[in-house]
């Protein structure tokens, strides 16, 4: 017996569509998940929607359960929360997170889902993949007690990093963005907000997540001697120019890339991918993360929503997609 579902596909760059899917019965080590909500990862998914994934990054950019190939047609996404309707007894009826695309139901190995803690609402749990990125960044360059830390870029990733940094004792955090409207989000997260021009200098650590060359340049300018920029931005096929003159060499500055596809070197051997994701879900028990859900749409509206997110017509941090009536 097969079950019917529907999935969002990028048919051609800039054009999304809903397609029917036939699901197999789950095997003994598989689960059938009925989706409750999914999240649009605005930065990465709009690059995919626009067909701007560089050819040499096709393999690196593959989502765990992606179908099709870049640039299109492709089924892409990785922030999915649903309920297990069939599978092992210990998972049956549980709300779970899975790195699965936008689809009303799906069958995956039981090992691919992570139970959502009871204190975390499904709508907030879609942020787990992004909080996992933030966790990995802070494993890559962990702040020390009393550090002065700046996050440049108040998008979804930057705000998740700022929310975690606000928990560190003695760490003074500034969130920087050109959009002054993000000040309210910063306030909800418990961190200071400033424009790039007013950002404090002499920072021990700067996390860059604006996906702009200007943001990366400003990040370098804010560092103290021997300070570090952790680069979290994904630029797609856009070239990036920065000036490495001035104090870059004399100040012995560091730019460190952080890629969630690998567990941070300092944690390899002691932490697995599953450990990192489970930690992200535990951290989401804090309701402060609700400030990052800035819009909600029905699954049937997703083709239009992704187009509007890509064009900038629809501003958002994380845009929630709901499925209850599908």
């Amino acid at each position: 017996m097969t079950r019917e579902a529907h999935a969002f596909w990028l048919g051609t760059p800039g054009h999304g569509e809903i397609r029917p899917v036939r699901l197999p019965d789950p095997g003994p080590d598989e689960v059938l998940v009925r989706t409750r909500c999914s999240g649009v990862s605005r930065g990465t998914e709009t690059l995919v929607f626009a067909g701007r994934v560089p050819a040499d990054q096709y393999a690196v950019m593959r989502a765990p359960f992606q179908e099709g190939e870049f640039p299109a047609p492709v089924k892409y996404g990785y922030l999915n929360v649903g309920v297990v309707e069939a599978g092992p007894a210990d998972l049956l009826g549980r709300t779970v997170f899975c790195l699965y695309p936008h689809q009303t139901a799906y069958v995956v190995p039981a090992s691919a889902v992570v139970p959502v803690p009871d204190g975390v609402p499904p709508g907030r749990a879609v942020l787990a993949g992004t909080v996992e990125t933030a966790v990995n960044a802070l494993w890559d360059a962990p702040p020390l007690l009393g550090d002065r830390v700046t996050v440049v870029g108040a998008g979804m990733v930057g705000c998740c990093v700022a929310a975690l940094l606000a928990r560190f004792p003695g760490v003074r955090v500034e969130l920087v963005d050109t959009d002054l409207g993000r000040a309210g989000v910063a306030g909800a997260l418990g961190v200071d907000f400033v424009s790039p021009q007013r950002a404090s200098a002499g920072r021990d650590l700067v996390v860059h997540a604006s996906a702009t060359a200007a943001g990366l340049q400003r990040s370098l300018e804010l560092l103290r001697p021997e300070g570090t920029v952790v680069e979290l931005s994904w630029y797609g096929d856009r070239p990036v120019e920065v000036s490495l003159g001035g104090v870059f060499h004399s100040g012995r500055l560091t730019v460190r890339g952080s890629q969630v596809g690998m567990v941070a070197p300092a944690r390899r051997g002691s932490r697995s991918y599953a450990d990192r994701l489970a930690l992200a879900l535990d951290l989401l028990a804090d309701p402060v993360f609700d400030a990052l859900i800035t819009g909600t749409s029905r699954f049937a509206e997703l083709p239009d929503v992704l187009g509007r997110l890509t064009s900038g017509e629809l501003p958002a941090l994380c845009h929630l997609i709901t499925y209850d009536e599908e």
Side-chain angles (χ1 to χ4, degrees), residues 246-307:
V247 299
F248 180 76
H249 288 286
S250 63
R252 297 176 58 83
L253 306 183
T254 298
V255 178
R256 181 168 192 168
S258 182
Q259 226 297 335
V260 75
M262 298 290 292
V263 173
R267 294 295 186 272
R268 289 180 202 162
S270 64
R271 300 292 182 95
S272 66
Y273 293 102
D275 292 332
R276 189 176 65 187
L277 185 53
L279 173 60
L281 283 163
D282 285 341
L283 291 168
L284 283 166
D286 190 337
V288 71
F289 287 98
D290 289 338
L292 307 188
I293 306 295
T294 53
T296 302
S297 298
R298 303 291 308 144
F299 173 67
E301 301 171 305
L302 187 51
D304 176 65
V305 166
L306 258 168

Side-chain angles (χ1 to χ4, degrees), residues 2-326:
T2 58
R3 296 172 173 83
E4 294 185 356
H6 290 85
F8 172 80
W9 278 76
L10 177 65
T12 58
H15 177 74
E17 57 195 45
I18 305 295
R19 297 183 181 181
V21 179
R22 292 179 67 83
L23 302 179
D25 287 333
D29 297 317
E30 294 181 319
V31 290
L32 168 66
V33 179
R34 183 70 56 181
T35 303
R36 292 190 61 182
C37 49
S38 61
V40 178
S41 178
R42 185 173 179 270
T44 303
E45 289 194 59
T46 56
L47 283 171
V48 172
F49 188 81
R52 301 193 64 181
V53 178
D56 63 356
Q57 295 296 300
Y58 284 179
V60 174
M61 283 289 294
R62 284 195 68 86
F65 294 99
Q66 175 180 321
E67 293 183 35
E69 303 294 337
F70 298 121
V74 65
K75 183 175 76 175
Y76 193 83
Y78 47 84
L79 301 175
N80 190 300
V81 174
V83 175
V84 175
E85 292 193 339
D90 62 329
L91 289 173
L92 199 60
R94 294 291 303 272
T95 298
V96 295
F97 176 87
C98 186
L99 295 167
Y100 204 87
H102 308 281
Q103 186 166 307
T104 58
Y106 51 92
V107 173
V108 294
S111 60
V113 302
V114 179
V116 174
D118 291 339
V120 179
R124 192 189 305 156
V126 300
L127 294 166
T130 310
V131 173
E132 184 184 15
T133 300
V135 166
N136 208 56
L138 297 179
W139 281 354
D140 269 324
L144 301 176
L145 187 68
D147 270 0
R148 299 154 297 181
V149 185
T150 294
V151 180
V152 175
M156 191 172 163
V157 172
C159 284
C160 283
V161 173
L164 296 185
L165 284 168
R167 300 163 175 256
F168 280 72
V171 171
R172 290 164 288 178
V173 185
E174 280 190 352
L175 183 59
V176 176
D177 203 277
T178 56
D179 181 357
L180 301 185
R182 294 289 163 87
V185 176
L189 298 178
V191 299
D192 294 331
F193 179 87
V194 292
S195 67
Q197 296 78 17
R198 294 182 176 274
S200 301
R203 312 303 276 180
D204 301 291
L205 174 67
V206 177
V207 179
H208 178 235
S210 82
T212 66
L216 178 55
Q217 188 67 58
R218 188 66 178 131
S219 298
L220 288 167
E221 294 167 356
L222 298 177
L223 288 176
R224 63 160 174 80
E226 300 197 353
T228 297
V229 170
V230 175
E231 176 58 277
L232 282 180
S233 298
W234 174 247
Y235 298 93
D237 59 1
R238 290 173 293 150
V240 178
E241 290 188 10
V242 292
S243 173
L244 298 183
V247 299
F248 180 76
H249 288 286
S250 63
R252 297 176 58 83
L253 306 183
T254 298
V255 178
R256 181 168 192 168
S258 182
Q259 226 297 335
V260 75
M262 298 290 292
V263 173
R267 294 295 186 272
R268 289 180 202 162
S270 64
R271 300 292 182 95
S272 66
Y273 293 102
D275 292 332
R276 189 176 65 187
L277 185 53
L279 173 60
L281 283 163
D282 285 341
L283 291 168
L284 283 166
D286 190 337
V288 71
F289 287 98
D290 289 338
L292 307 188
I293 306 295
T294 53
T296 302
S297 298
R298 303 291 308 144
F299 173 67
E301 301 171 305
L302 187 51
D304 176 65
V305 166
L306 258 168
R308 293 168 64 205
L309 287 170
T310 302
S311 69
E313 176 188 347
L314 181 62
L317 289 173
C318 179
H319 197 86
L320 191 69
I321 305 300
T322 59
Y323 295 71
D324 292 346
E325 299 173 6
E326 300 297 336

